[in-house]
């Protein structure tokens, strides 16, 4: 299916969001993470129609970067995004990821960014997304069993073939990024980045030296920074499939300790007449015009709230106060997941 002829290239009056640059790729400065529509959170997969309306509304509001991955579901999130973008494909920068599913028989839990696995993965993603090209194709996690030079070599081949336009990495660290960029330009690094996850601060100078943008996933602290979860009882109401029920920052004493961060975000929000989510996003946006947060949601109202953060301006003093908050208690993934993150 041709991804370029979609018949809706004209912008609407609501397409007013400012833009940011990821390398040489221009996108709306707030994106949309689609994972929670199908995977990981309470209610995932329960209302695809509302999820599709959410994607449509995001595009109408000027969101261009739409983020998914083959592992979300697995596969069904890409299919959902593909359905949602029929007739709108030429208005978005479509991003997906490979590498957490092995297509060469390595088995569950083993990253696979070998050339053969990537070739199989990209063709599957193109089919599910209903497009002839992927705008930004990420390695989801670094594969310790495949040299990054081999991975980048096949990705560069896919660029030449026109199957992908730009190459991204996710949760890679300095040495891997430099080695990858030496083979082919890396457009963006996707990593968790928010008021309560700031370990990318030491990596940002390297990204800027190389001209690589940062795509910030979980910029709302998986909902914690919005104030949506205030008590352990709120956590108990979540579906058993919701991974926050076992997340280090949401369990035990860490939950109560981390409320002080959410409380301060709310205080700033109250002072400026915004929501906590908008303040958390505005803090990320204030870190540079080469950083694009991709808050996830499956509801139209939430995407309207999140995209309105484009108009929220924090003072230098407010940014400094939020930056000075103590680090969140607990790892930003489980121990098993942290083993896949380079640090």
């Amino acid at each position: 299916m041709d991804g370029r002829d979609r018949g809706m290239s004209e912008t609407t009056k609501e397409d007013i969001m400012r833009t940011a640059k990821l390398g040489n790729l221009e996108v709306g400065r707030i994106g949309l993470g689609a994972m929670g529509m199908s995977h990981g959170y309470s209610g995932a997969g329960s209302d695809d129609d509302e999820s599709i309306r959410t994607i449509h509304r995001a595009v109408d509001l000027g969101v261009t970067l739409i983020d998914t991955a083959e592992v979300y579901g697995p596969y069904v999130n890409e299919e959902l995004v593909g359905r949602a973008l029929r007739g709108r494909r030429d208005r978005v920068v479509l991003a997906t990821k490979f590498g957490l599913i092995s297509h060469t028989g390595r088995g569950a839990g083993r990253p696979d960014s070998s050339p053969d696995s990537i070739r199989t993965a990209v063709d599957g993603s193109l089919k599910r997304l209903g497009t002839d090209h992927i705008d930004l194709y990420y390695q989801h996690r670094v594969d310790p069993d495949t040299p990054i030079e081999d991975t980048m070599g096949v990705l560069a081949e896919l660029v030449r073939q026109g199957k992908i336009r730009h190459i991204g990495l996710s949760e890679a660290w300095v040495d891997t990024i430099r080695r990858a960029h030496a083979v082919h330009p890396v457009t963006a690094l996707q990593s968790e980045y928010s008021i309560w996850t700031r370990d990318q601060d030491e990596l940002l100078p390297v990204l800027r030296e190389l001209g690589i943008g940062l795509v910030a996933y979980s910029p709302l602290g998986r909902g914690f920074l919005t104030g949506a979860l205030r008590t352990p009882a709120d956590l108990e109401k979540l579906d058993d499939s919701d991974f926050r029920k076992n997340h280090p920052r949401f369990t035990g004493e860490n939950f109560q300790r981390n409320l002080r961060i959410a409380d301060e975000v709310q205080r700033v929000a109250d002072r400026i007449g915004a929501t906590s989510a908008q303040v958390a996003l505005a803090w990320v946006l204030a870190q540079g015009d080469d950083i694009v947060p991709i808050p996830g949601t499956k509801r139209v109202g939430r995407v309207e709230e999140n995209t309105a953060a484009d108009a929220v301006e924090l003072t230098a003093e407010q940014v400094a106060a939020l930056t000075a908050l103590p680090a969140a208690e607990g790892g930003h993934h489980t121990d098993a997941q942290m083993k896949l993150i380079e640090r």
Side-chain angles (χ1 to χ4, degrees), residues 13 21 45 66 76 118-119 126 156 172 183 185 190 192 199 202 204 207 209 217 219 244 247 272 276 310 312 320 335:
K13 292 181 180 179
K21 293 293 287 290
I66 308 293
V76 294
I118 293 172
R119 294 186 183 100
L126 288 168
V183 176
Q190 184 172 143
E192 183 170 353
D199 54 355
E202 62 182 284
L204 278 169
L207 299 181
E209 172 197 335
Y217 74 81
R244 290 175 293 182
H247 191 285
I272 67 174
S276 291
D310 179 47
V312 175
D335 289 345

Side-chain angles (χ1 to χ4, degrees), residues 137-140 148 152 155 167-172 176-177 180-181 186 188-191:
Y137 199 44
Y138 292 100
Q139 181 191 45
H140 208 152
I148 193 63
M152 291 297 293
L155 292 172
I167 298 172
L169 302 174
S170 181
E171 295 291 12
T176 297
I177 293 168
H181 197 69
V186 175
L189 174 78
Q190 184 172 143
S191 188

